Amino acid sequence: MIVLGYNGFSRSSELFQRLYGATGVDRNLLMGHDAAAALSVDGEVVAAVEEERLNREKKTSDFPVKAIGWCTDSTGVRLDQVDVFAFPWKFTSAVAEEMIAGICARDMPVEAKFDHVRRVGELYTGMLSRSAVHDDFVRRTGFEMDPNKLLLVPHHLAHLMCGSYLAGVGDAAFLVSDGRAETLSSVMGELRDGVVTLFDRGTVDMDSSLALAYGKITRYLGFVPNNDEYKVMGLAAYAPPPTRNPLLAQVVRLREGGSYTLSIPGDRRAYYALFDHLFDADPAKREDFDFRVKVASMAQHMVEAVTVHQTRAVAAASGLDTLVFEGGLALNCVGNTKMLERSPFADMEVSFGAGDSGVAIGAAVYAGGLPRRGPKPEPTPYLGPVHGEQEIHEELLRFKDRVEWVELEDGEVARRTAELLSEKKVVGWFQGRAEYGPRALGNRSILANPAFGDIKDIINLRVKHREPFRPFAPVILESEAPRVFEMGKKRRSPYMTFVFPVKDDYRDRIPGACHVDGTARIQTVTARSNPELARLLGAFTERTGVPCLLNTSFNVAGEPIVCSPRDALECFLKTEIDHVVIGRHLVSKKSG
């Protein structure tokens, strides 16, 4: 069975701009953001890529025509061979009626209700309805899809299926929490014997979305909502947890069964005024670093308190040992670790597709059915485009006036790269298939030696062109991780979705990988999961005695992670990266 899962709308940007004034930073709040496509064959995901990697528009919500084209072309599958086209939003007529009823029940003038219903109606007929989704596919691909082959998958179910498939677990409790789905922002339940059961008492509606609340605070602090929340998470580490948190005292109300309500206005001016009141601020103070740290600490503390409340509730209701946590809020890796350690669960899984890029995979998995017979494929994030040596060489020739290179023997790649990294060099690392999701996981990465205490400043300012407070993640062999980090209940962290304290003995040895609070968001690697990166780690540790490398995404601020050799070379030439290794080619800039 062949299934194509995809996420993205051609008209999302147009309609949200015209109907709701969504421009500027609000572009990241559009439905369909992180547009992507994934192809599943007989229950195994064989190809997946985000549209932004190909059209070079970060967090694009556009219909993923390039991603679909790559998935089919790279696997030799024609669209007329696809059995199911799975789309991770299900706005049925019943959902539309629920949306209309919700508007009518609000406390607002009747004229405002009519206006709101009009706008929702245009959004539904122009983008969200089944016929609009079908017509969008036909118009953008030119393929006359059989309407009976289109399967609309509920958004939160797509998140769950992505997490369950990639975790490789059978029975598990689950929690999904994101900005919004069709009508809810968070659900919990369990997956047992292939059957999904929702715990109704744990559902949370969109008006109380924790992820959107965190996004509003992100915007209040001058960052981009639904994009820069990790900056707020990073800033929070510069202050201890607050002894008094007005967000928990006046905004959040925890309820039995794991649900909660949040009282934050939807209008920007109204919630800015609320935050100014809660945080004792005025517009002039919002740019102050100490003020940002204080507010970020309170926002992070709020997320941790609410998600721990949810985790304990789903554990009590399920009794299973493992929790699958998905949705945009699951990218808050600091909160993830605290959720697990403060819960009865023995383990918690968060996938590399936890955000909305993952729902394309999840929709495909749901339509194709979780694999139940025979050995299950080992989950891998390396599902994207790969480029052969000839293509790499052709791209290098295009830049021959600005770069020079040597072609290494296979066995020399790790040794020569480790030699460079033993110095204070920054190296772009471009190998194999592109990884999927928002994190660079060792195939489209920038690497450096964490033994140098100022390496973070060098990369932030001279390479990434971003704020100096931003931390970087270490990548380490899975077998070595417990020696360097306090892993708690975890034994592995392959997708940078958990944060761990660095052991005292190693804080002075890898200062470049330690955040201000002595923690690190780690990626663990094995020879099976990423052979080339594992060889490099082995060679680097043997040469230097340093057990890990600093790993950050191969891009600059505001741009998607590089996908092709051309992307890599262009990024290399406009930054102060010292060298880039593309396949077997060690590339340097020409002097003068």
Side-chain angles (χ1 to χ4, degrees), residues 67-85:
I68 289 172
W70 177 81
C71 284
T72 54
D73 290 347
S74 66
T75 57
V77 171
R78 303 187 310 272
L79 289 176
D80 61 5
Q81 295 176 306
V82 174
D83 298 294
V84 180
F85 298 86

Side-chain angles (χ1 to χ4, degrees), residues 222-513:
F223 301 124
V224 179
N226 202 29
N227 185 71
D228 290 348
E229 281 79 357
Y230 57 91
K231 297 182 184 180
V232 179
M233 182 180 67
L235 274 174
Y238 284 81
T243 56
R244 177 188 169 276
N245 190 341
L247 292 170
L248 291 178
Q250 301 182 48
V251 170
V252 178
R253 177 170 295 181
L254 303 180
R255 301 189 179 279
E256 291 186 12
S259 68
Y260 55 87
T261 57
L262 293 174
S263 302
I264 299 178
D267 178 73
R268 181 173 51 150
R269 285 176 296 180
Y271 69 72
Y272 269 45
L274 172 65
F275 294 153
D276 282 344
H277 170 70
L278 291 177
F279 305 132
D280 188 26
D282 56 64
K285 291 178 67 174
R286 294 179 198 146
E287 299 298 317
D288 179 75
F289 182 78
D290 290 339
F291 176 75
R292 280 178 155 186
V293 167
K294 179 185 77 171
V295 174
S297 177
M298 292 177 180
Q300 182 65 26
H301 184 239
M302 174 186 69
V303 166
E304 292 166 6
V306 173
T307 50
V308 166
H309 165 71
Q310 291 182 286
T311 308
R312 289 173 175 168
V314 70
S318 173
L320 292 169
D321 290 335
T322 300
L323 176 69
V324 171
F325 184 30
E326 293 290 299
L329 205 68
L331 295 175
N332 191 303
C333 49
V334 174
N336 292 348
T337 303
K338 294 179 180 179
M339 286 171 64
L340 174 58
E341 295 302 327
R342 296 173 184 175
S343 78
F345 289 108
D347 197 6
M348 185 168 91
E349 298 286 348
V350 180
S351 79
F352 56 80
D356 266 16
S357 59
V359 295
I361 290 178
V365 168
Y366 175 76
L370 288 170
R372 294 194 183 119
R373 295 178 184 171
K376 294 183 179 181
E378 182 173 346
T380 177
Y382 310 110
L383 297 164
V386 63
H387 303 271
E389 292 297 321
Q390 180 177 345
E391 183 180 354
I392 293 170
H393 186 69
E394 290 172 356
E395 289 297 335
L396 287 168
L397 291 175
R398 290 172 51 90
F399 292 87
K400 64 182 181 180
D401 293 338
R402 302 171 67 188
V403 302
E404 55 191 11
W405 63 91
V406 294
E407 190 168 348
L408 305 173
E409 297 296 327
D410 286 338
E412 288 292 290
V413 174
R415 186 188 67 79
R416 286 290 302 276
T417 306
E419 182 180 306
L420 291 170
L421 289 167
S422 67
E423 307 169 20
K424 196 181 290 187
K425 301 289 188 182
V426 179
V427 177
W429 181 253
F430 185 106
Q431 301 293 323
R433 297 185 70 169
E435 54 268 80
Y436 194 86
R439 312 285 189 228
L441 298 174
N443 278 14
R444 304 290 185 273
S445 290
I446 295 172
L447 304 176
N449 187 340
F452 297 108
D454 62 345
I455 197 69
K456 288 186 290 188
D457 296 331
I458 291 172
I459 298 177
N460 273 327
L461 299 177
R462 291 164 45 189
V463 176
K464 301 284 281 189
H465 306 151
R466 66 185 200 179
E467 300 90 347
F469 63 81
R470 300 271 295 278
F472 292 104
V475 58
I476 188 168
L477 290 172
E478 185 179 300
S479 59
E480 293 294 295
R483 183 165 62 89
V484 182
F485 304 99
E486 299 284 356
M487 301 284 288
K489 294 180 182 180
K490 295 296 294 182
R491 295 294 175 266
R492 54 194 291 272
S493 180
Y495 309 133
M496 291 189 193
T497 47
F498 292 88
V499 165
F500 306 101
V502 181
K503 289 186 175 181
D504 292 342
D505 293 347
Y506 283 91
R507 291 190 182 186
D508 291 336
R509 296 177 62 182
I510 55 169

Side-chain angles (χ1 to χ4, degrees), residues 150-164:
L150 176 62
L151 176 67
L152 303 184
V153 181
H155 189 71
H156 281 150
L157 183 58
H159 272 302
L160 170 61
M161 289 294 102
C162 176
S164 180

Side-chain angles (χ1 to χ4, degrees), residues 160-175:
L160 170 61
M161 289 294 102
C162 176
S164 180
Y165 170 81
L166 295 177
V169 298
D171 295 350
F174 67 82
L175 172 63

